[in-house]
Amino acid sequence: MAKIAYILLCHKDPEAIVLQAERLTAAGDYISIHFDARAPLKDFRTIRDALGDNPNVTFARPRLRCGWGEWSLVQATLNAVEAAVDAFPRATHFYMLSGDCMPIKSAEYTHRFLDTRDVDFIESFDFFDSDWIKTGMKEDRLIYRHFLNERKHKRLFYAAVETQRRFGLKRAIPADIQVQIGSQWWCLRRRTIEWILDFIRKRRDVLRFFRTTWIPDETFFQTLVRHLVPEREIEARSLTFLMFSDYGMPVTFYNDHYDLLLSQDYLYARKISPEAEDLKARLGTLYAAHDVEFRVSNEGRSLYKFLTGRGRIGRRFGMRFWETESSLGRERELLIVISKKWHVAKRLLSHIRQITDVPAIEYLFNEVDTPLPDLGGIQSTLEKRARHRRALMRMLFDYYATDRMIVCMDPDSLDLMQDFASDRSKTRFLKLSCQFSDDYLIGHARRIGLAGEQTGQVTLDRLLPTIRNDMVYEADRIRDTGFDHLYQVREASTAQENASALADFLSIPYDQALSLAQVEDLFAD
């Protein structure tokens, strides 16, 4: 009978991970856990202390700091796979999971399903000939070397690609390798896993190549399986059910999706909402159940398309699907930098990026050219961003795989600030109080169309007091809202005074905050 070693990559919610491991191992299966080294050590200790005595649980070593799109995700998977191969000699299959996956069939059904199909389940399509990649770079993922994380160092990432392109620094793909692409949620037989581990020990050239590709978790295993396993023994599909919204983000499942999930021709589903406690409990009980009959109708995607086209309440112009859960999430923290002088806020953000791992986005609600990932169109115009502000922010939190994010806003965006402040997430504000010279105000008037190059001095003299008073009014409105967590960095204050505000706002040590406050010419025009 099939015995599954689950390969679990996770980075948060230790209590849920413990429950997941206990449910899977109670049915006689195994689990190898890689818990991201970026996460708090106390969370890992919670998992290890709870599961350390369970003989069907092992842990990947060493723990790595993983980043989306990086080789670190593949290396973490390999570490977990090697730990499972050594710890569980009776495991017949290795199944890749994430912390928000749950079984949608019983263990009995799952084992019988794998026993009757002597194949590997992995999406693997030709990298160049298929249309699996819908947007973004394609060939450049492979032919150029990628040492930076696109999400953390976007400008440097693309600058490095452009430099390699300019100087013709293309590299060859290993001659005997036909690169494949597909979902990272696979289920492989033990023999295939052993072949892969043996292959990478012998072919260090292939390993070196993939180490500097971009998003290798979508190509590494997919390519090696096709290279090592006869085609007749590969079923190019995932056994994990997931759907994507119109905006290209994974659909989240809630308590009312139980019956829909069970009817799909898959063994697992991703991704289950952390708040769907009832759904997770029912699916956990289901995995241990016996003699359950499943009526597979596989209508999930067509039903989802039908419902979202009409709103979850059944009307075409009813509530849109992203509005059914409008919160950013209780565990998330949004940090908003407020400044009329956009270049000052951007300058501060560039220095914050150097000392923290927190994703920092510039004036996304004020400046259409702000660099943003492709989120399926919701980010394409300022109007869409403002109208679907919470949906946009949730997508960005998910895209950057983070619970903390920094954004910049103009002081006139008070309605956006109030909306985010009313959310169940944690919201903090940092007001940059700058001094405004007449020359700056004249330039500002020209930038926003209140004045032109030919506007006379008399007109400008009449206009300047109004603009200055308007800026004072905006600052007073923000102060009068009574935001719970509003901090100020003032151009007229000392570096020590500003450091205290920065330390509280960013939750960083005072000495790091002082280095930010002491940035030369921070407020310079």
Side-chain angles (χ1 to χ4, degrees):
M1 185 180 75
K3 300 276 285 185
I4 306 168
Y6 290 101
I7 308 301
L8 177 64
L9 265 58
C10 47
H11 65 280
K12 60 181 180 180
D13 204 353
E15 291 78 12
I17 293 167
V18 170
L19 283 175
Q20 187 180 36
E22 289 175 343
R23 288 164 178 161
L24 296 176
T25 57
D29 290 315
Y30 311 105
I31 190 166
S32 179
I33 300 172
H34 179 275
F35 193 69
D36 199 314
R38 294 181 305 166
L41 180 59
K42 64 180 179 61
D43 288 351
F44 176 66
R45 287 173 175 165
T46 297
I47 299 170
R48 188 185 57 193
D49 292 345
L51 300 173
D53 295 332
N54 188 328
N56 286 11
V57 176
T58 191
F59 296 93
R61 294 179 177 84
R63 293 169 58 218
L64 304 178
R65 294 172 63 89
C66 296
W68 186 90
E70 295 180 5
W71 170 257
S72 54
L73 282 174
V74 177
Q75 188 61 61
T77 304
L78 288 172
N79 291 352
V81 165
E82 290 175 342
V85 168
D86 292 340
F88 311 127
R90 296 181 58 197
T92 61
H93 293 77
F94 295 75
Y95 197 122
M96 183 75 179
L97 287 179
S98 71
D100 52 18
C101 292
M102 286 290 292
I104 56 174
K105 298 291 187 294
S106 64
E108 184 180 70
Y109 179 99
T110 298
H111 295 151
R112 187 167 60 244
F113 180 95
L114 295 177
D115 281 337
T116 58
R117 295 164 174 81
D118 189 20
V119 296
D120 295 305
F121 294 91
I122 183 169
E123 278 192 357
S124 53
F125 307 102
D126 187 275
F127 185 91
F128 295 99
D129 293 339
S130 71
D131 63 348
W132 201 86
I133 299 176
K134 303 297 184 184
T135 60
M137 64 169 59
K138 188 171 182 177
E139 182 185 35
D140 291 356
R141 289 191 187 187
L142 306 178
I143 63 174
Y144 298 121
R145 295 170 176 83
H146 302 278
F147 300 100
L148 300 169
N149 187 297
E150 189 261 356
R151 292 183 174 180
K152 294 180 181 177
H153 309 287
K154 184 178 292 291
R155 292 181 180 175
L156 289 175
F157 177 90
Y158 288 106
V161 173
E162 184 57 35
T163 299
Q164 293 179 74
R165 186 182 292 121
R166 184 181 304 119
F167 289 99
L169 300 177
K170 291 184 180 180
R171 60 170 174 177
I173 298 170
D176 59 333
I177 293 295
Q178 184 176 0
V179 179
Q180 305 288 306
I181 192 166
S183 167
Q184 66 269 52
W185 311 113
W186 41 255
C187 177
L188 303 177
R189 297 166 297 174
R190 186 182 192 94
R191 184 188 66 178
T192 301
I193 288 291
E194 290 174 343
W195 281 353
I196 290 173
L197 296 178
D198 184 61
F199 179 84
I200 62 177
R201 282 191 287 267
K202 296 176 180 177
R203 292 293 303 273
R204 309 303 293 183
D205 60 317
V206 174
L207 201 61
R208 284 194 300 272
F209 171 77
F210 277 105
R211 280 182 183 276
T212 52
T213 59
W214 180 234
I215 321 181
D217 57 317
E218 293 180 352
T219 56
F220 179 76
F221 289 98
Q222 296 78 356
T223 300
L224 295 197
V225 170
R226 281 285 177 187
H227 185 74
L228 297 169
V229 178
E231 184 172 359
R232 66 180 180 276
E233 296 181 24
I234 301 173
E235 193 163 330
R237 57 166 292 202
S238 171
L239 295 179
T240 299
F241 179 61
L242 68 160
M243 296 189 298
F244 290 91
S245 71
D246 293 342
Y247 292 136
M249 300 302 295
V251 172
T252 299
F253 298 110
Y254 297 93
N255 289 333
D256 59 345
H257 286 120
Y258 179 80
D259 292 326
L260 179 146
L261 292 175
L262 265 59
S263 66
Q264 306 312 307
D265 188 19
Y266 295 85
L267 303 181
Y268 272 76
R270 181 182 187 270
K271 53 196 246 173
I272 309 299
S273 169
E275 299 177 359
E277 296 293 342
D278 182 61
L279 176 61
K280 289 190 287 187
R282 295 177 72 184
L283 293 176
T285 301
L286 173 71
Y287 192 70
H290 296 279
D291 301 324
V292 180
E293 292 186 11
F294 296 92
R295 298 182 179 181
V296 176
S297 56
N298 231 24
E299 82 299 342
R301 288 183 172 84
S302 58
L303 180 59
Y304 174 80
K305 184 177 180 181
F306 175 82
L307 289 174
T308 56
R310 289 155 179 79
R312 284 292 295 271
I313 58 177
R315 297 195 302 273
R316 175 62 185 89
F317 296 103
M319 185 164 40
R320 299 299 292 271
F321 72 91
W322 54 76
E323 293 170 344
T324 62
E325 172 47 52
S326 59
S327 174
L328 303 185
R330 291 184 187 276
E331 74 283 3
R332 286 173 169 168
E333 187 174 18
L334 181 63
L335 308 179
I336 301 175
V337 177
I338 310 165
S339 179
K340 199 67 180 181
K341 289 188 176 181
W342 293 5
H343 61 281
V344 175
K346 293 178 181 180
R347 192 177 295 145
L348 177 63
L349 252 61
S350 70
H351 290 281
I352 290 175
R353 292 188 187 104
Q354 295 174 20
I355 66 170
T356 75
D357 293 330
V358 182
I361 304 172
E362 296 171 0
Y363 286 83
L364 73 167
F365 294 108
N366 306 101
E367 199 170 29
V368 70
D369 293 329
T370 298
L372 289 173
D374 186 350
L375 300 176
I378 194 173
Q379 83 295 339
S380 58
T381 67
L382 292 179
E383 291 75 17
K384 282 187 176 181
R385 296 178 198 175
R387 186 165 65 249
H388 306 308
R389 61 195 70 166
R390 295 198 186 188
L392 173 65
M393 294 308 302
R394 287 202 307 275
M395 290 178 180
L396 288 170
F397 273 110
D398 290 339
Y399 179 86
Y400 290 108
T402 184
D403 289 330
R404 300 186 77 214
M405 188 183 304
I406 307 172
V407 299
C408 292
M409 290 188 190
D410 191 278
D412 68 359
S413 302
L414 184 60
D415 58 331
L416 296 175
M417 300 177 209
Q418 290 176 314
D419 187 34
F420 288 122
S422 67
D423 190 78
R424 287 184 293 175
S425 62
K426 300 173 185 175
T427 309
R428 299 187 187 190
F429 301 87
L430 181 69
K431 174 74 169 62
L432 302 184
S433 298
C434 305
Q435 298 174 353
F436 302 102
S437 66
D438 286 352
D439 287 341
Y440 175 84
L441 294 178
I442 291 172
H444 175 73
R446 288 171 176 160
R447 283 190 295 272
I448 64 176
L450 290 178
E453 293 298 325
Q454 305 304 317
T455 302
Q457 188 61 44
V458 174
T459 302
L460 290 174
D461 289 341
R462 292 175 180 173
L463 192 58
L464 288 181
T466 303
I467 298 175
R468 192 180 297 278
N469 289 336
D470 186 62
M471 292 186 175
V472 172
Y473 172 70
E474 287 179 348
D476 287 341
R477 283 207 309 161
I478 292 171
R479 192 180 303 111
D480 292 341
T481 56
F483 289 139
D484 289 337
H485 303 287
L486 175 63
Y487 307 92
Q488 287 203 65
V489 168
R490 297 178 174 86
E491 185 174 357
S493 296
T494 66
Q496 290 73 20
E497 291 170 336
N498 288 335
S500 296
L502 286 167
D504 291 338
F505 173 71
L506 295 169
S507 300
I508 59 175
Y510 178 84
D511 57 343
Q512 287 187 326
L514 184 60
S515 70
L516 288 174
Q518 291 175 331
V519 168
E520 188 175 357
D521 298 327
L522 176 63
F523 292 93
D525 292 333

